Amino acid sequence: MADAPLTLHAYSARTGKHLGRLPYTSCSWSDSISEPGQMQAEVAMGSASAALRRLDPYELLRPWRTILAVQRTPAEVKHAGVITSRKWDPATRTLSISAGGGWTLLGKRLVLDHALDTAFHDGDVLVDEDHPAGHWALTFDGSYRDIAVGLLRESMTWGGLPISLPDRQGGDHTRTYYGWDLATVADRISDLADLLDGDEIRFNPQVDSSGRLTFAFESAPELADHHWRWTASVPGQRVRLTGYQEDGSGMCSDVWAVGGKNADKTVMARAARDDLTEHGWPVLQAKNSEHTTVSELATLKHCAAAQAWYGAGMSETIGLSVGEEYDVHVGDWADLRVEDDFLGDRRLALKITDVKGSSDSDWLDLQARPRAER
């Protein structure tokens, strides 16, 4: 178990500069693979220091202006994200704060060429994907990570964000984004993660030697910082099996996807797999109507194939609790040995998809899914 106490800090959402330390009565957070994550905190203003009062908490902790970070040491940031809402209770002198995660800020950035900042004029815009007018098209190529980095870099030309970007990888993928869709950067990065061959994505919060917080953008086909080996039945290992569930709502073997419309035409794609039918399931058909801004057939086919791939798998979720001394990150692998009335005596090869923590406990709550053996 860790010795250093958990502390709560405020940082600038523009620069990552440290603004102050906050007294808190409770704090909880959760992270999910290729998702922003979230945090809840309660700040007890009755115990606030004179230094914090001089910082003017009313202005300091405004939504979208300040990032909250819970950390055990500067080098061990458990979670960080921009404040999205707050609620003050004068009777108890308690401020309740909700915050997002690393890419929550990108929900407030649109996929637009920065040249439009000066070139745009109110009026009609010609929507022509073959011959886009002005600066309405942005094209990025390389790996999926390179494309995401291109989106982020262009977004940051509109105004600074505390995000650090990796070097170019290179690759043969190309994506063109049209400004008139007014899609958010968060959604377009999520689209890349949803592809069948897409990357897993994280915005990893880090505090440097000068005390500045940045989110390191990480994107790879497999994000796994650790490969844990646990036995749930061994006393003292602080590993417990807490639950198992399987939800069949997303299972499918025949996906029909609809994309964007152009005049009187609509692009459509289909993806079918035999994994389920070969093992006794009937044909399970599903629609995919979540990509109505996609106009390229190849992109829509990737989306349909991804849904068919995941739909042909078992939607199993394994719940675990482990001691906080295990520095578990979303994306990690774990081999778990269980002896259970339902699961039997077996080793489960798992991928950690969700990590939840709280200042009230020295245990982490994990969710995992089965991973393919390699």
Side-chain angles (χ1 to χ4, degrees), residues 106-183:
L106 301 172
K108 295 290 187 179
R109 293 291 173 94
L110 300 178
V111 181
L112 293 170
D113 189 330
H114 185 242
L116 289 169
D117 191 27
T118 54
F120 176 75
H121 299 285
D122 295 336
D124 295 334
V125 173
L126 176 63
V127 178
D128 184 348
E129 294 180 359
D130 294 327
H131 305 92
H135 303 280
W136 288 100
L138 280 171
T139 299
F140 304 107
D141 60 16
S143 66
Y144 286 135
R145 190 181 84 177
D146 293 335
I147 293 171
V149 167
L151 287 166
L152 290 167
R153 183 171 286 116
E154 188 66 27
S155 173
M156 291 164 68
T157 63
W158 287 89
L161 294 173
I163 298 173
S164 61
L165 302 176
D167 295 333
R168 182 176 173 83
Q169 284 182 319
D172 56 3
H173 300 297
T174 301
R175 288 291 184 277
T176 296
Y177 300 101
Y178 300 102
W180 53 70
D181 290 333
L182 298 180

Side-chain angles (χ1 to χ4, degrees), residues 202-280:
R202 289 188 309 214
F203 286 78
N204 189 24
Q206 302 171 349
V207 176
D208 63 21
S209 58
S210 67
R212 180 175 177 268
L213 181 139
T214 58
F215 293 100
F217 175 67
E218 300 175 353
S219 175
E222 186 82 56
L223 289 175
D225 297 327
H226 306 97
H227 188 167
W228 304 99
R229 291 174 174 83
W230 295 317
T231 301
S233 58
V234 173
Q237 196 176 78
R238 284 173 44 91
V239 176
R240 301 186 300 225
L241 176 69
T242 59
Y244 170 93
Q245 68 178 35
E246 185 172 13
D247 179 2
S249 61
M251 294 181 69
C252 57
S253 56
D254 187 10
V255 176
W256 295 74
V258 59
K261 293 182 178 180
N262 185 5
D264 59 347
K265 297 181 180 180
T266 299
V267 61
M268 295 189 67
R270 181 191 181 196
R273 296 179 63 90
D274 298 328
D275 307 58
L276 293 177
T277 55
E278 289 179 352
H279 290 85

Side-chain angles (χ1 to χ4, degrees), residues 29-95:
W29 63 92
S30 64
D31 284 305
S32 300
I33 194 71
S34 297
E35 297 286 345
Q38 59 183 339
M39 179 164 57
Q40 305 290 328
E42 289 194 350
V43 176
M45 294 305 301
S47 61
S49 66
L52 176 59
R53 293 184 188 281
R54 285 195 296 271
L55 289 172
D56 188 359
Y58 171 76
E59 289 296 338
L60 174 70
L61 303 174
R62 309 277 319 237
W64 302 102
R65 183 176 183 177
T66 300
I67 291 168
L68 283 191
V70 58
Q71 53 197 72
R72 196 166 291 286
T73 66
E76 189 179 350
V77 182
K78 296 295 184 181
H79 182 85
V82 69
I83 296 173
T84 55
S85 65
R86 60 184 183 172
K87 182 179 180 180
W88 167 245
D89 184 349
T92 61
R93 303 177 72 185
T94 299
L95 179 66

